[in-house]
Amino acid sequence: MRIARFSTGEGVSFGVVEGGPGEEFVSMVAGHPFGQVQFTGERFPLSQVKLLSPMLPSKVVAIGRNYAEHAAELGNQVPDEPLIFMKPSTSVIGHGEDIAYPTTLSDRVDYEGELAVVIGRLCREVPVERVKDVIFGYTCANDVTARDLQKKDVQFTRAKGFDTFCPLGPWIQTDLDAADLALTTTVNGEIRQSGRTSQLIHDIPALVAYVSAVMTLIPGDVILTGTPAGVGPLEIGDEVSVGIEGIGTLTNKVVSRD
């Protein structure tokens, strides 16, 4: 099931995206999709609604250097344990919204296409074998990074935390085996990243168990699982897309913030 958060111009709603490519529509659901989905009977062509970020997470927990080739391309060692950092909720935007390049503060802003895990239940200290019970679904993510500030600051908060630096979407796929999915990032239609989730050093159950041993996760929280090799710079005017097999494609344009 593809769960979308969208606007028709008369408010924000959740819905289920149905239909094939070019004929998709959104069936509105009552309340919040974390409960039992109840359809209202209202339907809208997908082309006539504005997709928003699928969730408004209380926190985005990201994992660094979780693909060996990506760690190597930046001259880093693969960590023995998952490397955790945070992105603020204010960095989240949805499909079709603009990434704002802070030109007065950074000279290099990179794309990082990733699989995102959406948590569906309040949980803490989740055993690996129970992780599937707390996952609501999966979506596409772009862990946008001011690479020069990351190198300057050493820790990641400023480089990863600008407004608009966490595009999520276009929706959440709830019925999916995410162990081996193709992930592709394109810039202006040119492939820049191509990997598979089976290449993750620490897999999804291990990540959720590790993060939940540190902090309580609440419904809607997001874990970014890491990016494959091929990261690189974005320029103002670029269009960047992250596509993941079985989910869809998240697309955003880059504009100047200043």
Side-chain angles (χ1 to χ4, degrees), residues 139-156:
T139 193
C140 305
N142 192 343
D143 176 20
V144 182
T145 304
R147 192 69 70 200
D148 53 344
L149 300 184
Q150 183 184 24
K151 293 178 179 178
K152 179 181 179 181
D153 293 353
V154 182
Q155 55 85 23
F156 298 170

Side-chain angles (χ1 to χ4, degrees), residues 155-171:
Q155 55 85 23
F156 298 170
T157 303
R158 181 166 64 138
K160 303 281 192 174
F162 284 96
D163 291 356
T164 76
F165 270 27
C166 189
L168 297 173
W171 41 65

Side-chain angles (χ1 to χ4, degrees), residues 20-60:
E23 299 180 349
E24 294 160 312
F25 58 91
V26 183
S27 296
M28 186 181 293
V29 299
H32 200 286
F34 285 145
Q36 185 175 356
V37 172
Q38 296 182 332
F39 293 96
T40 67
E42 293 184 88
R43 295 170 54 176
F44 305 92
L46 185 63
S47 60
Q48 295 182 17
V49 304
K50 176 179 173 57
L51 291 174
L52 306 173
S53 60
M55 290 290 165
L56 295 176
S58 76
K59 54 186 172 290
V60 178

Side-chain angles (χ1 to χ4, degrees), residues 22-119:
E23 299 180 349
E24 294 160 312
F25 58 91
V26 183
S27 296
M28 186 181 293
V29 299
H32 200 286
F34 285 145
Q36 185 175 356
V37 172
Q38 296 182 332
F39 293 96
T40 67
E42 293 184 88
R43 295 170 54 176
F44 305 92
L46 185 63
S47 60
Q48 295 182 17
V49 304
K50 176 179 173 57
L51 291 174
L52 306 173
S53 60
M55 290 290 165
L56 295 176
S58 76
K59 54 186 172 290
V60 178
V61 185
I63 309 297
R65 304 171 192 168
N66 202 25
Y67 286 79
E69 292 184 2
H70 169 61
E73 73 180 344
L74 296 183
N76 296 313
Q77 297 293 320
V78 173
D80 293 331
E81 297 179 308
L83 175 64
I84 295 177
F85 61 91
M86 307 283 285
K87 294 175 79 80
S89 59
T90 48
S91 66
V92 173
I93 58 172
H95 171 77
E97 295 187 79
D98 292 335
I99 297 168
Y101 194 130
T103 55
T104 60
L105 297 174
S106 174
D107 294 323
R108 175 166 170 171
V109 169
D110 283 12
Y111 55 83
E112 294 190 10
E114 308 198 12
L115 173 72
V117 179
V118 181
I119 300 298

